[in-house]
Amino acid sequence: MRLTEFAELTEAEFGRKRADGLLTDLVLMELGGRTGREAIEQGVDPKLVWRALCREFDVPPERW
């Protein structure tokens, strides 16, 4: 997944401001105790970050 697609998905699902906050502030144990932003900066595929966010907020799998 490209970063532009990831940004579009997170913004559409959570809204721009909330998506930015979630990526910066929310620590996801599924990502090794990192925030989404930290994980992406450390080379984690944005698709894995997207899926972790979806599971955290019970976004239906068909929207992944």
Side-chain angles (χ1 to χ4, degrees):
M1 172 183 289
R2 299 170 81 175
L3 283 175
T4 53
E5 183 182 6
F6 174 77
E8 290 169 358
L9 288 170
T10 56
E11 188 175 320
E13 185 64 39
F14 303 110
R16 176 175 278 169
K17 287 184 181 183
R18 186 169 183 216
D20 287 343
L22 291 175
L23 290 174
T24 302
D25 300 329
L26 179 67
V27 174
L28 295 161
M29 297 313 294
E30 186 174 336
L31 298 175
R34 297 177 283 189
T35 67
R37 181 158 285 130
E38 290 170 333
I40 289 171
E41 288 173 353
Q42 294 172 4
V44 174
D45 185 337
K47 187 175 197 175
L48 298 177
V49 176
W50 168 246
R51 288 180 176 172
L53 284 170
C54 289
R55 281 189 281 274
E56 183 72 20
F57 288 96
D58 296 321
V59 174
E62 61 270 8
R63 293 165 84 181
W64 304 359

